[in-house]
Amino acid sequence: MALQHEKLGGHMAAAVTGIDLNTLPDGPTQAKLVDALHANLVLCIRGQNLAPVPFRNAMARFGTPMLRKQLAHTAECAEVNIISSEDRDELGDGKKLVNGASWHTDDSFMRAPCSLTMLYGVTVPSRGGDTQFTNMYAAYDDLPAEIKARIDRLKVIHKYESSRKTNRVAKRPETEMAAMPEATHPLVRTHPETRRKALYLNANRMEQVVGLERAESDELLDALIGHAIQPKFQYRHVWRQGDIVIWDNRCTMHKANADYPEGERRLMHRVIVAGTEPF
Ligand code: SIN
C-alpha cells in the first residue's frame, strides 16, 4: 500500500497512513517521511502497533536515539522512555507530575539538545490529553523587522531548574544535575537542514538573555513567548491509539495537556534523537 498524506493543521502538521513500521521503510519511503517532517514540522504516522524495540529501530532511521537511562524507560529498550498518567515526582514531593505541561522545546538545557522527539500513543484517553504545537518559523517570520534586528544576535541562558519556570519539573539526582550545566543558545536559530530561521524559546528553561538586565530580559522573553503561542501559529494534536507523532524541536514548541477524565490512562513511549548545538 502506498503512503497517503493528509494535512492536519493549516500551516503545520500532516499525517501519513499506509505504512507499518514493524517493517523498516525502504530508502525512498524513508526520504518521503523525512521530507514530510521538514515540510510540516509535526508528522503523525497513524495506526502503528509496535513493541519498544521495533519502535526504537524505526525511529533510528530519522537519527541517533539518545540514551537517557535515568528517565523511566521500558524493560525491553532503555532508549524508549515512558511518559504516563501515573508519572510522579519520585525524588521530590512524590506528587503526580505532568511532564511538559508548559510550552517548551525538548532538553534546551543541554548544549546539544535533541533534534526530534517521537511520541507513540500506546494507550490514549477517551478524550483530552492532546499535545499542542506552535510553529516557530512562522512566529519568527511574523515579527516586525525592528524586533528581528534587535533579537537576531541575542543569546539566552537555559537551565533545567530555571527561576522563570512556569510549572513544576521533576527533581533529578544530584549527580545528573551536576552533569547538566546551563547552556547558552541563540534566541533565533537557523535550522541546520532547512536553513530557515526560527525563534528558539522554552518557557520552562530560559533563565536570562545574555547582556540584558533581568527586568528587560524578562519583558523580552515574556513578549516573545506570548507572540509565539498565539493560536494562529498553533496546531493541536488529538491522539488516536497507535499514532506516532514526530516533531522537530528546532522549529516548534509543544505542550502536554492533562485534562483527560480522572482514572483514565495515558501511556506514551518516547524516543528522542540527537541534535547539534544550535546556531
Ligand atoms: C512532552 O512534552 O515531551 C510530552 C508531551 C505529551 O505528553 O503530550
Side-chain angles (χ1 to χ4, degrees):
M1 191 174 152
L3 276 187
Q4 274 133 23
H5 292 251
E6 179 199 351
K7 280 274 181 197
L8 295 176
H11 56 97
M12 72 189 300
V16 293
T17 49
I19 187 167
D20 174 359
L21 292 176
N22 281 298
T23 303
L24 291 179
D26 58 21
T29 307
Q30 181 63 26
K32 281 187 194 155
L33 293 174
V34 171
D35 286 350
L37 176 63
H38 283 156
N40 297 287
L41 291 58
V42 174
L43 180 67
C44 173
I45 305 175
R46 300 271 195 212
Q48 301 303 305
N49 185 4
L50 290 169
V53 172
F55 174 45
R56 178 245 175 249
N57 290 346
M59 297 305 99
R61 298 296 305 278
F62 292 85
T64 307
M66 291 174 81
L67 184 60
R68 300 283 299 282
K69 265 203 259 183
Q70 67 283 7
L71 301 179
H73 56 79
T74 62
E76 299 89 331
C77 185
E79 287 152 314
V80 176
N81 294 123
I82 297 170
I83 295 184
S84 131
S85 42
E86 275 100 64
D87 285 342
R88 299 192 169 268
D89 186 7
E90 304 285 357
L91 298 176
D93 59 15
K95 289 189 185 150
K96 200 170 161 164
L97 191 82
V98 181
N99 276 304
S102 60
W103 286 103
H104 66 288
T105 174
D106 285 333
D107 293 350
S108 72
F109 54 89
M110 294 186 167
R111 278 182 57 189
C114 58
S115 53
L116 308 177
T117 301
M118 294 83 172
L119 212 58
Y120 169 37
V122 179
T123 306
V124 303
S126 60
R127 62 189 153 80
D130 304 347
T131 308
Q132 285 168 269
F133 296 92
T134 190
N135 181 335
M136 301 298 267
Y137 291 138
Y140 175 76
D141 290 345
D142 194 54
L143 288 170
E146 64 274 17
I147 304 284
K148 285 184 181 152
R150 180 178 171 213
I151 66 170
D152 257 350
R153 290 185 196 287
L154 291 179
K155 291 185 184 268
V156 181
I157 299 165
H158 293 240
K159 283 185 176 175
Y160 181 77
E161 277 265 23
S162 153
S163 59
R164 283 176 45 87
K165 68 178 185 290
T166 50
N167 68 282
R168 288 164 59 226
V169 295
K171 278 263 168 287
R172 309 297 323 157
E174 292 298 327
T175 46
E176 194 193 329
M177 292 301 292
M180 281 188 212
E182 55 192 41
T184 302
H185 296 310
L187 191 45
V188 178
R189 71 179 290 184
T190 303
H191 192 289
E193 287 159 63
T194 67
R195 310 307 294 184
R196 290 185 65 188
K197 282 185 173 182
L199 274 176
Y200 192 57
L201 305 173
N202 187 335
N204 233 24
R205 310 282 190 212
M206 292 188 300
E207 186 65 24
Q208 192 161 349
V209 180
V210 176
L212 297 192
E213 293 296 329
R214 179 65 192 240
E216 192 187 355
S217 165
D218 282 347
E219 195 182 335
L220 177 62
L221 294 177
D222 290 345
L224 290 174
I225 292 167
H227 169 77
I229 64 174
Q230 292 177 78
K232 66 180 177 180
F233 301 131
Q234 286 189 36
Y235 162 69
R236 188 175 184 115
H237 188 73
V238 179
W239 285 90
R240 296 184 198 168
Q241 189 114 2
D243 280 353
I244 290 177
V245 175
I246 305 176
W247 64 84
D248 192 328
N249 286 298
R250 300 163 293 188
C251 51
T252 59
M253 284 199 293
H254 62 281
K255 174 185 187 299
N257 288 281
D259 55 353
Y260 38 89
E262 188 68 34
E264 285 201 24
R265 192 151 190 249
R266 183 178 188 270
L267 173 66
M268 302 278 163
H269 284 174
R270 188 188 82 155
V271 170
I272 51 177
V273 306
T276 52
E277 282 190 42
F279 57 87

